[in-house]
Amino acid sequence: MSLAELKAWMQPHLDRVEAVLSAGIQADSPARLGEAMRYAVLDGGKRLRPLLVLATAEAVGDAPQSPAALNAACAIELIHAYSLVHDDMPCMDNDVLRRGKPTVHVQFGEAQALLAGDALQTLAFEMLTSQDGSVPAAVQAACVALLARASGYQGMAGGQAIDLASVGLQLSEDQLRQMHRLKTGALLLCSVQMGVACVPDVAEGVRMALTRFGEALGLAFQVVDDVLDVTADSATLGKTAGKDVAADKPTYVALMGLEPAKAYADALAAEAMQALTDTELDEGRLAALRALTAMVVQRNN
Amino acid sequence: MSLAELKAWMQPHLDRVEAVLSAGIQADSPARLGEAMRYAVLDGGKRLRPLLVLATAEAVGDAPQSPAALNAACAIELIHAYSLVHDDMPCMDNDVLRRGKPTVHVQFGEAQALLAGDALQTLAFEMLTSQDGSVPAAVQAACVALLARASGYQGMAGGQAIDLASVGLQLSEDQLRQMHRLKTGALLLCSVQMGVACVPDVAEGVRMALTRFGEALGLAFQVVDDVLDVTADSATLGKTAGKDVAADKPTYVALMGLEPAKAYADALAAEAMQALTDTELDEGRLAALRALTAMVVQRNN
């Protein structure tokens, strides 16, 4: 799949995700809280996690418009968005720029940002359990379990706690990998796992190969992030460049040097591609996942 | 049910809730995050919401040891605990005392408190969807949907946003009731609703009467809270007394005066008791709910 073909595949999916997210957060809500939530989540972001959910569900299933996958795609983006809102707050990374706009606490105040992040997390679980009968309860419960585990204290939130505790420390490569496996990797892996969970009766071998795919992709994403933090400027990134270095945070670039970090990202992408081959699914089914993997490694923001 | 009988009924339930909560949060977790979460949720609190879940499930069902109800009881306490951690933070109510101890951000720092609150919320949804087969998926999904809706931007979080936006304002009684219906009432009502959702085939009339019970109890709880803020001292409350008045927040006492507010709490408790009668369930089944209602109105902290 060429980049042009990927874009053509992506666009209707992005439109559907945006429509569901927008319909799910009413601006006319108590004390402008919905407005702050919409600001945090609409019209921005690469939507990588939703696209991974949808591409995975399409790879293993036969329902390209599956409501289960669409709900899961939106839910994981809500979790991602909540984590960014809280991560940017003064007591955490204290950042003022995100997706090219002032961060939520700059725009709406700290208290409102705290509540908006809280409510975005809640909405993720509400979205996974719509009671309209369109998604079997077993799929709903499985997705909630996966998403909660991936984003909780033994997943994303735990990774952020390690991140905070690691400022100024020398981490070994193992420690750094563990931090990123939780902080970023858990949610990317979860995107793939939820895509699988939305489809009945996926063969165990396929499921395991896709898990390895999600793990490798998640780590590749973070290594590229560390590279971009040094090589890109803030305008391109849409967020403050160089902030990891400035905050004296451990990164793959600090640990390995710039060129070896780039080479490591490429090696991880190759590992992800091999895991896709190992699923033994038709290449046509895997095309979007392969193109998304290439995009993760080649992105410049 | 006398107070002594209520205590005898409560104790084994409290022990089970405490055991499940404690087992669900490992202290040995990334960067002390589990420790902060345990500090926030264990060994404290009246556990009113879990007790309401369990008492309701027992009133309408025949399985006093239902794993569904126990999970739901713990989940709603985790949501309550997360809301207190975030509510106490400097950008919100800036409180230093809770349940007679320093608040989480005082003890662990603001960033860790933010993450601990986030992860407590996540854990609530993880706990509702344990994949051990003990709870039907339909019950899991229904409880997640109820809890997410009650605690999100159109529930508890929305109520907190109104609360923040109302400092120094004169609210009408309708506006004050709407704020509390969301901020405190939604979660208390949800306790009752989850208790019902854990039991199959509850008659519609019973469900509706219990909903009215939960609504009246939720409002009674908040009116009593406003009264205690003026009449109790910090040592008895285990949190800072007089802080609503100090923060110039609208309260029922400010709106009605102290004695009328007390009388209103009593009237709401009577309404809750009548709703229990309207369920037409055996009085033996309703005894714990009646005793909990009396406890809410007569409590001194």
Side-chain angles (χ1 to χ4, degrees), chain A residues 42-234:
Chain A
L42 298 180
D43 304 320
K46 296 178 282 288
R47 310 294 192 218
L48 173 61
R49 294 156 193 80
L51 291 170
L52 278 172
V53 175
L54 297 169
T56 304
E58 288 182 16
V60 297
D62 296 308
Q65 303 277 327
S66 144
L70 185 57
N71 290 351
C74 293
I76 202 157
E77 187 68 10
L78 289 166
I79 292 288
H80 178 56
Y82 117 68
S83 78
L84 297 181
V85 173
H86 283 183
D87 212 30
D88 286 336
M89 284 181 66
C91 68
M92 301 277 287
D93 282 356
N94 193 19
D95 217 325
V96 296
L97 188 67
R98 170 72 66 183
R99 294 174 173 172
K101 299 186 299 187
T103 46
V104 178
H105 67 92
V106 169
Q107 192 75 8
F108 292 88
E110 275 186 59
Q112 193 77 319
L114 178 57
L115 287 174
D118 288 344
L120 286 168
Q121 173 173 189
T122 321
L123 186 60
F125 295 107
E126 190 177 339
M127 207 161 269
L128 285 177
T129 52
S130 72
Q131 301 288 289
D132 62 3
S134 63
V135 180
V139 171
Q140 295 190 352
C143 282
V144 170
L146 285 169
L147 187 57
R149 178 160 283 272
S151 54
Y153 82 113
Q154 292 174 317
M156 181 185 74
Q160 287 184 304
I162 300 177
D163 190 14
L164 282 169
S166 306
V167 171
L169 297 183
Q170 279 285 97
L171 297 190
S172 69
E173 190 177 333
D174 274 357
Q175 292 171 316
L176 191 62
R177 189 182 298 114
Q178 167 67 354
M179 174 177 98
H180 287 313
R181 195 180 63 75
L182 298 176
K183 190 186 164 200
T184 324
L187 221 53
L188 288 165
L189 172 59
C190 181
S191 305
V192 174
Q193 291 175 318
M194 286 208 299
V196 172
C198 288
V199 176
D201 303 324
V202 176
E204 188 56 23
V206 172
R207 187 192 306 264
M208 285 173 61
L210 285 173
T211 296
R212 284 191 288 113
F213 163 73
E215 287 169 347
L217 183 70
L219 193 51
F221 180 89
Q222 186 58 49
V223 177
V224 172
D225 229 44
D226 286 356
V227 168
L228 288 172
D229 187 66
V230 262
T231 59
D233 58 43
S234 298

Side-chain angles (χ1 to χ4, degrees), chain A residues 26 86 118 121-122 149 153, chain B residues 26 86 118 121-122 153:
Chain A
Q26 284 154 39
H86 283 183
D118 288 344
Q121 173 173 189
T122 321
R149 178 160 283 272
Y153 82 113
Chain B
Q26 286 154 38
H86 282 183
D118 287 343
Q121 175 175 185
T122 322
Y153 82 112

Side-chain angles (χ1 to χ4, degrees), chain B residues 195-265:
Chain B
V196 172
C198 288
V199 176
D201 303 323
V202 177
E204 187 57 22
V206 173
R207 188 192 304 265
M208 284 173 63
L210 285 172
T211 297
R212 284 190 288 114
F213 164 72
E215 286 168 348
L217 182 70
L219 193 52
F221 181 89
Q222 186 57 50
V223 177
V224 172
D225 229 43
D226 286 355
V227 168
L228 288 172
D229 186 66
V230 199
T231 58
D233 58 42
S234 298
T236 310
L237 279 182
K239 62 183 181 182
T240 312
K243 69 176 179 171
D244 292 341
V245 174
D248 199 13
K249 287 198 175 178
T251 70
Y252 280 97
V253 175
L255 188 77
M256 313 180 139
L258 183 58
E259 290 308 320
K262 286 181 181 175
Y264 185 42

